[in-house]
Amino acid sequence: MMDMSNSPSISGDDAEAALLRRYAAGEDAAARMLATALTPRLYGHALRVLGDTAEAEDVAQDALLRLWKIAPDWRSGEAKVSTWMYRVVANLCTDRLRKRRSTGLDDIDEPADPSASVEQRMQDAARADALQQALDSLPDRQRQAVVLRHIDGLANPEIAVILDTGVEAVESLTARGKRALALALAGQRDALGYDNDG
């Protein structure tokens, strides 16, 4: 276990950059801590964009490998580690989406909440499937923008860096994506049980 008593108190992106510097200096424990902090977010984003658990795991692992490779050359202050990682994941997802254009998308099974009733789990799965199908129908960049903004909760300026575009373009992509999602899901309200939620 590492002695953190002499380490200054840091949080957020500063902490991620500090961990990356420590990993580059040969501290393996820093890599584990950074991977533990980043992997759930990277995997979650890849899963929402790709709709496939195995592909999302591959993308998250590939993104981390790329981070470890560039760690010695990382320049603090130029980009946040998490922003750089989201951009890598976005690019890897885009590459995979392009490769699969000619093949059909696999359906994914959403993990069920063990404490929920069977009916609730079925309804939650139907809602997740409907959302994933609606997301899959969006153009790639709209899908990336919507997932980053409304599912991952990132701010528009950070999304602009990740997608290598301007903030106004991000606003346009998310607005068009939300409208398309609303249209795709509009006729399914009753079937998905939203009118029964109260």
Side-chain angles (χ1 to χ4, degrees):
M1 179 168 274
M2 257 184 320
D3 177 17
M4 299 293 283
S5 59
N6 294 329
S7 298
S9 176
I10 50 180
S11 63
D13 298 310
D14 291 337
E16 292 170 352
L19 287 171
L20 188 59
R21 284 191 302 273
R22 286 168 40 193
Y23 165 73
E27 190 177 322
D28 290 338
R32 286 190 295 278
M33 291 167 47
L34 191 54
T36 299
L38 292 173
T39 300
R41 291 182 279 164
L42 304 177
Y43 170 78
H45 177 70
L47 179 61
R48 284 293 175 202
V49 172
L50 297 171
D52 182 275
T53 56
E55 279 195 291
E57 288 171 3
D58 289 346
V59 165
Q61 288 175 2
D62 193 6
L64 284 171
L65 289 174
R66 290 177 187 214
L67 181 64
W68 306 147
K69 192 172 185 178
I70 62 100
D73 301 319
W74 185 262
R75 291 183 295 237
S76 292
E78 288 187 19
K80 296 191 298 189
V81 173
S82 59
T83 301
W84 187 85
M85 291 297 290
Y86 270 115
R87 187 169 186 174
V88 169
V89 168
N91 289 337
L92 291 170
C93 288
T94 297
D95 291 344
R96 286 176 179 258
L97 290 169
R98 286 181 183 146
K99 285 180 185 174
R100 68 156 90 137
R101 290 246 193 273
S102 61
T103 60
L105 299 177
D106 295 333
D107 293 334
I108 63 164
D109 294 328
E110 289 290 326
D113 180 358
S115 63
S117 68
V118 173
E119 293 86 5
Q120 186 62 49
R121 286 188 307 214
M122 291 174 62
Q123 190 171 58
D124 290 346
R127 289 175 177 177
D129 288 344
L131 176 60
Q132 189 61 54
Q133 287 176 5
L135 283 169
D136 290 345
S137 71
L138 296 178
D140 294 347
R141 288 182 62 79
Q142 279 183 25
R143 183 182 328 164
Q144 293 267 14
V146 168
V147 169
L148 286 167
R149 180 71 183 107
H150 297 290
I151 296 175
D152 294 336
L154 300 182
N156 287 346
E158 192 170 6
I159 297 168
V161 172
I162 293 166
L163 296 181
D164 194 25
T165 191
V167 173
E168 288 181 6
V170 169
E171 291 169 356
S172 175
L173 287 167
T174 55
R176 289 192 322 248
K178 280 176 54 178
R179 282 194 302 270
L181 285 176
L183 284 172
L185 295 170
Q188 300 180 53
R189 259 186 94 71
D190 289 339
L192 296 174
Y194 283 109
D195 290 340
N196 300 329
D197 286 348

